[in-house]
Amino acid sequence: MPNETTFAPYRLAPGALPEEAARAAAALDAHPLVATPAEPLPASLVNRALADVPSGRATTPSEACRAADGTIAGMGGTPRACLSSERQRARVGEAVRAALSAGFAGVCLDRPDAPLTLGLLGAGFCTDCQRAFTRHLVREYGDHFQPIDYLSLAREAVAQASGALSFEVLPFGRDFWRTRNEALERAVADYARSARDAARAAARAFEVVVQFEAVGPAQLRAARHADAAIFPASLAPGATGIGLFRLLRAAMGRRLAAVAPAAASAAGAHPHARLAAVAASCGIDLSGVEPAAAPGTEVAAVRRLARQLATAGRSPLVTTPVAECAILYSAEADLWSGGRHRAAVERAAEALAQLHVQTPVVLRLEDAPPEAVVVLADAVGVTPLEAKEIRRRLEAGGGVLAFGEPAGADEVGRPGATFLPGGKPAGVRVGKGTFAALAPLAPEKGSAAPPDPALLERALAALLGKGRRAASVASRQPLLVVLDRTEGAVHAHLVTLGPERAQGATLFLGLQVAGDARRARFVSADGSDVRIPMNPSGYSLSTVLPAFKGYAILSVNV
C-alpha cells in the first residue's frame, strides 16, 4: 500500500461472492478488498486483500473485559476484549500469522478501541486491567504505594454519585482514564510489531491497517503505529466534514487514511459523493460498501481524479497546505475535556472554511507557519509546555484567536488557570502580538452554537488584516476551497456543496499566494481538463471557473 495512490478499503459483504465483490470494487475504483480469513478467496485476489482480524472482540465471555459493576464489557452486546490481556494479544498475533501464511497482503485490525469506547466505567475492571493499573500507580506514586481494591472504590463512588460519574470524582480517576487510553496505543503497537516480525521472518511485505470505532486522542496516537487507518465519519447535520478531515490528515501525516461513512450519511444527510470530494481535498478516501448506480459512480470519479493528482505528485499527502490560520489540536486537552476540545476543533475548521480562510490543523505549535494565526478551540487542559509556547509566540508578534477561554492543566490533568489575558473580538495587544477571543464552540454546559459570522469576520480582520485573503469566491452555489502548494505551483481544491452544478463561479487567489500567473489548468472529476486565464483583480488574481459538479482542482504555476 505505500506505493498506492488511493486507499479505499472495500469490505466483502456477508454472503457475497468474492469475484462479484472484486468486480464491484473495481467499478468503484475501491481497493483493497477486506475479507474474513475464513472466507475462501481465489489466489488472484488473496494476495491483494486484507484479512479482517477482530482485535476488539473477545472470543468467549469468560475472557472479556469487565465493567465496574462486574458484568461483561459490552453492555449486553458483543463481549469486548481486554486491552491489557496477554492472552488477547497472543490470539491476535496468531490470527495475524495465519493471515500471513494464507497469502493475504496484510491485516485490518478491526476496532481494537472497542473496549475504550464504552466510557469510564464500561470496561477496564477485569483482573488484567486492574493489575496493569496497580503497576501504573506504583510507578507514579512510588514503591511505598499500597495496593488498593479499585473495583470496590469505583462501586462506592458510583453509589454515592448524584449523577453521571466522571474521572474528576472517581478516586484516582485521572490516573485510571489515562491508563485506559495509553493501553490502546500499547495494544495496537504490540499487534503491529507482531505482524511486522512475522512478515520479516517470511521475507515479504505485509501491511497493517487499523479500523477504529471512534475518533479520540488514544485512537489518533495509536494510528501512528499502523501503515494506514480507517476512522468513522459521524458528522453533525450541516457539517461538510472538512474539520474532521483536516484533523485526520494532521494526525496521519503522509500515511494513508479513509473514513467509513455513518448510516445517516448513506441515507442522504451527507451524500457519499460530496463526502468523498471534501475528503479528497485532504488526501482521504471513503471505506466500506458504497452505494450502487449514480452515487457510487460519482465517488469513483473523485477517486480517479485523486489518483491522477497523486501520479503527478500533487496529492494532499505530499503537498504543503497554505495556512492563514492554524488550529492547534492538543491530545491532552482532548483527553481531559472529554472530547469537547476535538469537537470544537472540527467546528472551528468548519466555520473558517465557510469564509474560505485557509486553516489546517496542527498537532504541535512549531508545525504552524510563523505568519499563521494560531486558533485555540475550547483549549481547556493544554500542557504547561503548550501554554508557554502559545504565550511566547503571541508576545513575539504572532496572532492568536481563541474560542472560549484557554486554560492549562498539569501532568495528571488537574485544571490550572488561564494563561492568556482577557480578549475581545476586535483584538487586544499582548506584547507585540494580537489576541482575539470569541465564545466557546463546545461549552461544558448549554448547547453548542456556531460562531457569530460578524464577530468572526471582525476578529479575522484584526488578526489577518482587511481585504487580504488567500482565496475567496463569488458564486450562487456554495463552494469549499482548500489551497496547498508544491514547488513552483499552487493548487486550489474545489468542492461544490450544493446539489447543483457550480456555474459562473469566480475564484479569487491572493497575489501573495498565486503571484503574477496568467494561466491555470482546471481539471474536474466530471471530465473537464482545460486551460483558463487568470486576470489581475486588485490585490488578487481572478478567474471564472468552468461549470462543474463535485470535485475539481485548479493548478497555478507560480
Side-chain angles (χ1 to χ4, degrees):
M1 276 186 310
N3 296 323
E4 298 289 353
T5 54
T6 58
F7 173 63
Y10 189 94
R11 284 192 171 274
L12 185 62
L17 294 176
E19 293 84 353
E20 291 181 358
R23 285 193 293 270
L28 294 170
D29 269 301
H31 59 80
L33 196 66
V34 181
T36 60
E39 192 79 37
L41 293 180
S44 60
L45 293 180
V46 70
N47 62 354
R48 295 184 287 117
L50 299 177
D52 192 24
V53 176
S55 54
R57 188 173 70 229
T59 55
T60 62
S62 62
E63 294 188 3
C65 197
R66 298 281 167 169
D69 60 2
T71 59
I72 295 173
M75 297 182 177
T78 302
R80 306 296 174 93
C82 171
L83 290 172
S84 303
S85 171
E86 293 298 332
R87 288 174 298 177
Q88 172 69 9
R89 299 189 187 190
R91 189 176 298 108
V92 171
E94 182 180 347
V96 166
R97 289 187 292 273
L100 179 67
S101 300
F104 281 92
V107 290
C108 179
L109 302 174
D110 189 29
R111 296 172 177 83
D113 61 329
L116 187 63
T117 59
L118 296 176
L120 182 67
L121 304 176
F125 291 90
C126 67
T127 302
D128 290 320
C129 286
Q130 290 300 294
R131 188 182 298 116
F133 183 49
T134 298
R135 289 196 297 268
H136 166 81
L137 292 176
V138 170
R139 288 194 303 269
E140 185 71 22
Y141 297 104
D143 293 337
H144 61 278
F145 184 84
Q146 296 297 316
I148 58 175
D149 185 352
Y150 196 68
L151 183 57
S152 297
L153 287 177
R155 290 176 177 175
E156 183 180 349
V158 171
Q160 295 178 354
S162 58
L165 187 67
S166 69
F167 57 75
E168 297 172 337
V169 179
L170 185 67
F172 298 102
R174 298 180 187 278
D175 295 277
F176 181 64
W177 189 232
R178 181 184 289 283
T179 302
R180 289 279 312 283
N181 279 264
E182 291 176 347
L184 174 63
E185 183 176 3
R186 286 196 299 271
V188 172
D190 285 347
Y191 298 155
R193 187 182 305 112
S194 175
R196 293 182 178 121
D197 288 345
R200 192 178 301 111
R204 75 177 183 89
F206 194 71
E207 306 300 333
V208 179
V209 176
V210 182
Q211 177 158 2
F212 294 104
E213 188 172 300
V215 180
Q219 288 87 349
L220 295 176
R221 282 172 167 162
R224 299 179 299 184
H225 299 281
D227 298 302
I230 307 168
F231 297 91
S234 299
L235 305 179
T240 66
I242 187 64
L244 172 63
F245 302 138
R246 288 281 208 185
L247 173 60
L248 296 183
R249 176 48 53 214
M252 295 301 293
R254 296 192 174 185
R255 291 185 298 277
L256 298 170
V259 293
S265 300
H270 304 287
H272 281 75
R274 192 187 79 176
L275 193 66
V278 178
S281 70
C282 299
I284 294 171
D285 212 319
L286 302 191
S287 168
V289 178
E290 293 158 26
T297 302
E298 293 175 0
V299 171
V302 171
R303 287 200 180 110
R304 283 191 288 271
L305 178 53
R307 185 170 294 123
Q308 178 183 339
L309 296 176
T311 302
R314 294 183 288 160
S315 167
L317 268 71
V318 298
T319 57
T320 302
V322 173
E324 296 174 282
C325 299
I327 305 176
L328 177 66
Y329 169 78
S330 168
E332 289 293 292
D334 194 11
L335 179 67
W336 303 126
S337 66
R340 290 189 298 107
H341 170 61
R342 184 181 66 262
V345 165
E346 294 183 21
R347 290 167 187 164
E350 291 277 355
L352 291 167
Q354 290 181 11
L355 301 176
H356 307 299
V357 179
Q358 300 306 303
T359 314
V361 174
V362 296
L363 306 186
R364 302 178 305 170
L365 198 62
E366 56 263 36
D367 294 333
E371 68 278 6
V373 172
V374 174
V375 179
L376 305 177
D378 291 28
V380 178
V382 299
T383 66
L385 178 60
E386 289 171 332
K388 185 177 181 180
E389 289 177 341
I390 293 167
R391 181 80 189 213
R392 182 187 297 133
R393 179 172 175 135
L394 175 61
E395 293 177 343
V400 173
L401 169 62
F403 293 95
E405 188 176 43
D410 63 13
E411 63 277 2
V412 293
R414 288 187 294 262
T418 181
F419 54 89
L420 292 176
K424 56 184 180 180
V428 296
R429 298 294 292 179
V430 180
K432 298 180 181 179
T434 303
F435 172 55
L438 296 172
L441 296 175
E444 188 173 5
K445 297 181 181 179
S447 58
D452 183 282
L455 293 180
L456 180 55
E457 285 275 20
R458 189 176 181 185
L460 292 173
L463 294 165
L464 297 176
K466 295 182 179 180
R468 187 175 175 83
R469 294 290 187 272
S472 60
V473 174
S475 173
R476 290 191 297 269
Q477 294 290 334
L479 288 180
L480 174 69
V481 182
V482 178
L483 301 182
D484 57 31
R485 65 174 83 239
T486 53
E487 187 175 357
V490 171
H491 315 287
H493 300 262
L494 308 166
V495 180
T496 57
L497 300 179
E500 305 297 331
R501 292 170 63 86
Q503 298 187 22
T506 302
L507 174 68
F508 299 86
L509 297 178
L511 293 178
Q512 73 275 19
V513 173
D516 58 355
R518 291 296 179 266
R519 304 286 294 179
R521 182 185 179 189
F522 177 87
V523 183
S524 68
D526 56 9
S528 297
D529 189 347
V530 295
R531 297 279 181 178
I532 58 177
M534 301 295 294
N535 307 303
S537 180
Y539 293 100
S540 63
L541 298 178
S542 68
T543 186
V544 177
L545 300 172
F548 76 102
K549 181 181 179 181
Y551 180 47
I553 184 169
L554 181 78
S555 297
V556 182
N557 292 326
V558 296

